[in-house]
C-alpha cells in the first residue's frame, strides 16, 4: 500500500469522528456570531458590536483556559478506550469533575477582576459600560461551561461524538430565541440590549451541560459500563497526569486567545469602527477555524485510539489524513474571504466605515488561513500522542515575541491602525504553522521506527 493510499484508508474512520465535532465547533462559534449579529441591529451598532466583542473575549480568556486544562482527557480517555480499559476512562472523568469544582471559583474571581480593570486600559468610554456588564453576566455561567467541557472530552474520547454535536447545535436555537426575546423585549420580557444577549448565552450553556451529563448517564445505564463502580475519591496521580497534559494545552490556548484579546484591547483604543471591523473579521476567521478545530479534536481521539491499540504507524497516517482535510478546507475559506468580503461584512452591519475596515482585515485573514488550519490540526494530532508542550512553546515564541510586538509597531508607530496589528499576528501564525508541521514530520518518523521495532519483536518471539 502506497503512502497516499494508506492515508486515504484513514479518511473514513477519521471523518466519522470529525464531522460531528466540526458541526459542534461551528455551533459553538455560531453562538458568538448570533450574539454579534443580533446586537448589530441595535441603534448604535458599532458600540454594541464592540462591547460584545470585548466582553466575550475577556470571558473566553479565563473560561477557555479552565476548559483547556481538561484537554488532557483527550489523551488519557482515548488511549485508555483504545486499549479497552473502560474503568480508566471513568476514573479520568471523575477526577476531571473534581478539577472543575476547584477551578470554577478561581476562574470567576479572575474574570471579575479583569472586568473591573477595563477602565485602566483606556477602552473607548462609549464601549466600556456595556462591555463590563456583558462579561459580568457571562461569568455566572462558568460552572455549567466547565461541566460541558469535561463531559464533552469524556464522551468524544470514547467515540460518542453525535451527542456533542446535538447539544451545541440545538443550543443555538435557545440562544437565538433568547437573544430575540431579551435584547429587544419580546415574549413579555423587558428589552435588555447587550445584557440580554449575555443572559441568553448563559442559558444556552446550562442547557448544553445538562444534555451531555444526561447522555453520559444514559450510556452508562444502557451499556452497564460501571461509571459509578470505580473508586470515586480523588486520585492524586491521575489528577497530576491530567494537569501535566492539560496545563501546556491550556497555556497554549490562553496564549492564543490572549494575543487576540490583547489585540482587541489595543484596537479598542482606536475608533469604534476599527473595533467593530476587527470583531467582524475575527468572527469570520474564528468561524472558519472551527472546522480544522473539530478535525483537530478528531485527530487527537483517533491518534490516541490507535496508540492505545499499539498501532503507531496507523496513528501517523491518521494525523496526515486530518492535516490534509484541515488545510484543504482553509484554502477554500481563504478564497471566500478574498472573493466576497463586502457581502460578509454586510451580514453584520450597514455602516460604511465598519464595512471598509472589515474588508481590509478579511484580506489579511485570507493570508493566514492555511497556516492556521495546519497548526491546529497538528496540535491535535500531537495531543493524541501525549505531546502538549511543543504547541505551547511555539505560541509563546511566535505570537508574543514576534507577532504582537511587530503588530503594535505597525499599528501605532507605522500608522497602519488595526491592519497593522493583524499583519503582525499573521506573521506569527505563519511561523507557528510552519514549525509545527516540521515537528509532526519528526513525530511520524518516530512512530514509524516504533512500529518497525514492534514488528521485529513480534517476528523474533517464539
Amino acid at each position: 500500500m502506497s503512502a497516499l493510499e494508506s492515508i486515504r484508508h484513514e479518511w473514513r474512520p477519521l471523518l466519522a469522528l470529525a464531522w460531528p465535532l466540526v458541526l459542534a465547533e461551528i455551533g459553538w462559534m455560531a453562538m458568538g456570531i448570533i450574539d454579534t449579529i443580533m446586537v448589530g441591529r441595535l441603534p448604535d451598532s458599532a458600540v454594541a458590536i464592540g462591547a460584545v466583542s470585548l466582553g466575550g473575549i475577556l470571558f473566553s480568556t479565563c473560561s477557555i483556559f479552565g476548559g483547556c486544562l481538561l484537554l488532557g482527557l483527550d489523551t488519557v480517555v482515548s488511549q485508555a478506550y483504545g486499549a479497552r480499559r473502560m474503568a480508566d476512562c471513568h476514573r479520568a472523568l471523575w477526577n476531571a469533575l473534581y478539577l472543575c469544582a476547584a477551578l470554577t471559583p478561581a476562574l470567576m474571581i479572575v474574570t471579575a477582576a479583569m472586568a473591573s480593570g477595563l477602565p485602566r486600559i483606556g477602552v473607548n468610554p462609549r464601549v466600556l459600560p456595556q462591555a463590563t456588564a456583558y462579561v459580568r453576566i457571562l461569568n455566572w455561567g462558568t460552572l455549567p461551561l466547565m461541566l460541558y467541557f469535561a463531559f464533552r472530552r469524556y464522551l468524544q474520547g470514547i467515540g460518542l461524538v453525535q451527542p456533542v454535536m446535538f447539544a451545541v447545535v440545538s443550543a443555538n436555537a435557545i440562544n437565538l430565541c433568547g437573544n430575540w426575546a431579551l435584547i429587544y423585549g419580546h415574549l413579555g420580557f423587558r428589552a435588555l440590549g447587550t445584557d440580554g444577549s449575555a443572559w441568553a448565552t448563559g442559558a444556552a450553556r446550562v442547557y448544553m451541560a445538562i444534555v451531555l451529563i444526561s447522555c453520559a448517564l444514559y450510556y452508562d445505564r444502557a451499556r452497564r459500563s460501571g461509571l459509578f463502580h470505580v473508586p470515586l475519591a480523588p486520585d492524586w496521580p491521575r489528577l497530576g497526569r491530567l494537569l501535566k497534559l492539560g496545563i501546556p494545552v491550556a497555556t497554549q490556548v490562553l496564549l492564543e486567545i490572549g494575543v487576540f484579546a490583547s489585540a482587541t484591547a489595543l484596537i479598542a483604543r482606536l475608533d469604534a469602527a476599527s473595533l467593530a471591523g476587527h470583531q467582524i473579521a475575527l468572527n469570520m476567521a474564528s468561524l472558519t477555524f472551527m472546522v480544522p478545530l473539530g478535525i483537530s479534536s478528531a485527530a487527537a481521539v483517533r491518534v490516541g485510539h490507535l496508540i492505545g491499540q499499539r498501532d503507531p504507524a496507523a496513528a501517523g497516517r491518521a494525523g496526515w489524513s486530518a492535516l490534509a482535510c484541515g488545510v484543504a478546507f482553509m484554502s477554500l475559506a481563504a478564497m471566500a474571504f478574498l472573493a466576497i468580503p463586502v457581502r460578509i461584512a454586510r451580514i453584520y452591519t450597514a455602516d460604511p466605515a465598519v464595512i471598509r475596515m472589515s474588508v481590509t482585515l478579511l484580506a489579511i485573514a485570507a493570508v493566514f488561513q492555511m497556516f492556521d488550519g495546519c497548526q491546529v490540526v497538528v496540535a491535535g494530532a500531537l495531543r493524541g500522542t501525549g505531546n502538549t508542550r511543543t504547541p505551547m512553546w511555539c505560541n509563546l515564541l511566535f505570537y508574543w515575541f514576534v507577532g504582537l510586538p511587530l503588530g503594535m509597531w505597525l499599528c501605532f508607530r507605522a500608522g497602519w491602525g488595526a491592519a497593522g496589528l493583524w499583519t503582525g499576528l499573521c506573521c506569527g501564525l505563519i511561523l507557528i504553522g510552519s514549525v509545527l508541521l516540521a515537528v509532526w514530520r519528526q513525530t511520524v518518523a518516530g512512530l514509524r521506527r516504533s512500529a518497525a521495532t514492534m514488528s521485529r519483536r513480534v517476528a523474533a518471539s517464539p
Side-chain angles (χ1 to χ4, degrees), residues 60-80:
S60 296
T61 301
C62 288
S63 63
I64 300 301
F65 173 79
C68 287
L69 283 172
L70 303 170
L71 283 174
L73 286 170
D74 281 356
T75 305
V76 174
V77 175
S78 64
Q79 290 187 6

Side-chain angles (χ1 to χ4, degrees), residues 426-443:
C426 176
C427 293
L429 193 45
I430 289 171
L431 290 170
I432 293 170
S434 301
V435 171
L436 286 181
L437 181 60
V439 170
W440 177 246
R441 288 175 64 90
Q442 293 179 346
T443 301

Side-chain angles (χ1 to χ4, degrees), residues 175-208:
N175 188 46
L176 178 62
C177 293
N179 270 283
W180 176 73
L182 297 175
I183 293 173
Y184 299 103
H186 297 293
L187 301 178
F189 291 97
R190 183 166 59 90
L192 299 175
T194 53
D195 287 3
S197 178
W199 287 115
T201 300
R205 288 171 178 171
V206 171
Y207 165 80
M208 290 192 300

Side-chain angles (χ1 to χ4, degrees), residues 169-244:
V169 172
S170 57
N172 273 276
I174 293 174
N175 188 46
L176 178 62
C177 293
N179 270 283
W180 176 73
L182 297 175
I183 293 173
Y184 299 103
H186 297 293
L187 301 178
F189 291 97
R190 183 166 59 90
L192 299 175
T194 53
D195 287 3
S197 178
W199 287 115
T201 300
R205 288 171 178 171
V206 171
Y207 165 80
M208 290 192 300
I210 291 173
V211 169
L212 293 194
I213 292 170
S214 301
C215 177
L217 294 175
Y218 175 80
Y219 175 85
D220 175 63
R221 183 175 180 180
R223 302 289 181 89
R224 297 181 180 178
S225 64
L227 178 60
F228 295 94
H229 297 157
V230 297
L232 302 183
D235 185 328
W236 302 112
R238 289 178 188 273
L239 273 169
R241 190 184 178 206
L242 283 176
L243 288 173
K244 184 178 179 180

Side-chain angles (χ1 to χ4, degrees), residues 137-160:
I137 294 169
L138 287 180
N139 204 16
W140 291 107
T142 302
L143 179 59
L145 188 58
M146 292 295 293
L147 293 175
Y148 161 78
F149 285 137
F151 279 92
R152 171 184 170 160
R153 295 295 160 187
Y154 165 77
L155 289 171
Q156 69 187 40
I158 63 175
L160 293 178

Side-chain angles (χ1 to χ4, degrees), residues 393-420:
W393 289 116
C394 285
N395 274 264
L396 175 62
L397 176 61
F398 296 122
Y399 265 145
W400 288 90
F401 291 99
V402 178
L404 188 59
L406 175 61
M408 291 175 65
W409 186 87
L410 291 172
C411 177
F412 298 108
R413 294 291 184 88
W416 289 21

